[in-house]
């Protein structure tokens, strides 16, 4: 059931969370599928709805910075600096957890991922419920992330207690995840907050988690439409294919395509990010056999977009 995020419906949603149910809600990045982060059974419902493997931990969403100390055992000074400067916003920090956080939330890890979202609906919901809310993106495991309530309905309708509609997400790509668990801060997932902004505050951040799957969102084949994705660099020559096309600035001059989506005519990466998953959802529904995607500049938000495109294109058939 989709309900507009009025105060009355927010109250209903908060009550569902308090009673151990699941609520899909908007954040500025993507829609999340939330449950009480302190209730292992409620969190289990989120894993079931998404068919998400239990080894993949969830991000815990909070409404105020005071909640950090309730959930985290220790806060690195760098993590504090980032939270002060960039929260609320599309940033997740991974820090040592307290025992109050159930193991199912963190997949047995001794760390917890925390984020204070900026979307007013998300913040009101968490504040009204009065509990931290564990929420992965509201899509089946491995598939395209939702940036509208309709995307959630299409992919998970019937599997969640309530979907709150707060309009399309303004950032459009998941939060940037930084781990403060070693000697230096590490980037676990590029996302909606450009790395440049983070490094301007805490200095160099280690890139690339190597081969270890510390953030399973980093698995190849993630963020995938059902239709195969092929990344193209330069002009696409072959014709006669039933292809859809994801362009950065302008539609391709040559070739006939089943559908074309242009991310940002002015070449603005923020605009491109905000349209990214919606465009992929549309192309995926177009009936094409393949989605051809242009490369994007790998700076600012472009880093996160290329990360998602690469993973989508690595999906095994
Ligand atoms: O923008 C976002 O982050 C959205 C919205 C809803 O907040 N959420 C989101 O959640 O993208 P999800 O579950 O799709 O991705 C969370 C990522 C996963 O790759 C997970 O492995 C990683 O965060 N993660 C969670 N807890 C972690 C931990 N303790 N250590 C390392 N990675 C962790
Ligand atoms: Mg996800």
């Amino acid at each position: 059931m989709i309900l507009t995020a009025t105060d009355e419906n927010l109250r209903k949603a908060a009550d569902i969370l308090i009673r151990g149910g699941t609520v899909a809600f908007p954040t500025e990045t993507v829609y999340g599928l939330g449950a009480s982060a302190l209730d292992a059974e409620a969190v289990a419902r989120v894993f079931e709805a998404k068919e998400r493997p239990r080894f993949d931990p969830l991000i815990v969403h909070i409404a105020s910075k005071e909640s950090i100390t309730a959930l985290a055992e220790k806060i690195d000074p760098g993590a504090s600096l980032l939270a002060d400067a960039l929260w609320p916003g599309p940033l997740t920090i991974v820090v040592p957890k307290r025992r109050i956080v159930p193991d199912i939330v963190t997949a047995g890890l001794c760390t917890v991922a925390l984020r204070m979202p900026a979307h007013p609906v998300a913040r009101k919901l968490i504040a009204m419920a009065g509990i931290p809310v564990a929420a992965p993106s509201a899509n089946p495991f491995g598939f395209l992330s939702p940036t509208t309530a309709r995307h959630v309905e299409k992919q998970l309708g019937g599997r969640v207690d309530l979907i709150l509609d707060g309009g399309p997400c303004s950032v459009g790509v998941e939060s940037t995840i930084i781990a403060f668990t070693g000697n230096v801060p590490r980037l676990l997932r590029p996302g909606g907050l450009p790395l440049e902004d983070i490094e301007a505050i805490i200095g160099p951040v280690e890139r690339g988690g190597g081969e270890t799957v510390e953030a399973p969102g980093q698995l190849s084949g993630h963020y995938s439409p059902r239709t195969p994705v092929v990344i193209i660099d330069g002009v696409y020559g072959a014709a006669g294919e039933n292809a859809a096309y994801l362009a950065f600035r302008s539609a391709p001059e040559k070739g006939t395509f089943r559908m074309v989506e242009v991310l940002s005519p002015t070449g603005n990466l923020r605009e491109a990010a905000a349209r990214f998953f919606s465009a992929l959802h549309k192309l995926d529904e177009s009936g094409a056999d393949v989605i051809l995607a242009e490369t994007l500049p790998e700076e600012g938000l472009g880093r996160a977009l290329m990360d998602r495109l690469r993973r989508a294109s690595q999906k095994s058939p």
Side-chain angles (χ1 to χ4, degrees):
M1 182 178 37
I2 299 188
L3 292 179
T4 308
T6 58
D7 279 351
E8 197 188 335
N9 291 334
L10 272 159
R11 187 66 255 168
K12 272 189 202 159
D15 288 339
I16 291 174
L17 291 176
I18 291 165
R19 289 199 308 266
T22 57
V23 174
F25 62 96
T27 82
E28 72 279 21
T29 58
V30 300
Y31 273 68
L33 176 56
S36 166
L38 304 178
D39 179 342
E41 262 179 57
V43 173
R45 289 194 188 99
V46 169
F47 279 90
E48 275 155 34
K50 277 184 66 91
E51 295 181 31
R52 179 178 178 114
R54 293 280 180 104
F55 62 72
D56 192 358
L58 307 185
I59 294 174
V60 176
H61 296 70
I62 56 179
S64 75
K65 279 182 210 143
E66 285 76 72
S67 305
I68 304 179
T69 42
L71 302 167
E73 186 69 46
K74 195 173 121 243
I75 272 279
D76 183 279
S80 270
L81 273 178
L82 283 190
D84 285 341
L86 301 171
W87 273 0
L91 167 74
T92 295
I93 56 172
V94 174
V95 289
K97 84 171 186 84
R98 279 193 196 278
R99 279 169 58 189
I100 186 178
V101 183
D103 281 340
I104 186 172
V105 172
T106 63
L109 296 172
C110 56
T111 56
V112 62
L114 299 177
R115 167 159 123 81
M116 184 162 133
H119 198 294
V121 171
R123 296 189 65 190
K124 269 195 198 168
L125 176 66
I126 302 163
M128 272 187 181
I131 39 178
V133 174
S137 50
N139 53 296
F141 184 70
F143 287 97
L144 284 179
S145 298
T147 54
T148 65
R150 199 191 71 82
H151 294 156
V152 180
E153 165 99 286
K154 186 178 74 172
Q155 292 185 302
L156 289 183
R159 291 176 161 231
V160 302
D161 295 328
L162 178 64
I163 301 170
L164 274 181
D165 188 349
C169 303
S170 59
V171 174
V173 63
E174 296 86 347
S175 60
T176 304
I177 308 180
I178 308 283
F180 290 91
T181 49
N183 294 332
V184 280
R186 249 167 351 115
L187 174 72
L188 296 186
R189 177 176 73 181
L193 195 78
L195 197 55
E196 291 86 339
D197 297 10
I198 292 169
E199 292 191 321
I201 296 168
I202 56 167
V205 168
E206 205 173 281
R207 325 275 163 110
E211 290 302 304
T212 53
V213 182
E214 200 170 337
Q218 296 304 76
L219 292 170
S220 59
H222 238 74
Y223 310 106
S224 301
R226 281 160 213 278
T227 315
V229 173
V230 173
I231 300 173
I232 53 161
D233 204 350
V235 180
Y236 179 70
E241 253 182 290
N242 179 22
Y245 194 97
L246 182 68
F248 177 35
R249 303 183 63 139
S250 53
E253 283 169 18
K254 290 205 182 118
T256 43
F257 297 97
R258 185 145 192 125
M259 189 187 272
V260 174
E261 284 287 315
V262 177
L263 290 175
S264 173
T266 58
N268 179 319
L269 285 167
R270 281 185 192 280
E271 183 182 37
R275 292 189 182 168
F276 182 74
F277 279 120
S278 265
L280 280 170
H281 276 281
K282 278 189 209 155
L283 298 177
D284 199 21
E285 285 169 5
S286 71
D289 300 328
V290 61
I291 296 170
L292 304 177
E294 289 181 0
T295 55
L296 306 165
E298 286 198 68
E299 63 200 27
L301 291 184
R303 206 177 271 125
L305 299 183
M306 280 308 292
D307 170 79
R308 307 300 187 267
L309 274 183
R310 286 205 185 92
R311 292 180 201 288
S313 72
Q314 284 158 9
K315 185 169 178 138
S316 45

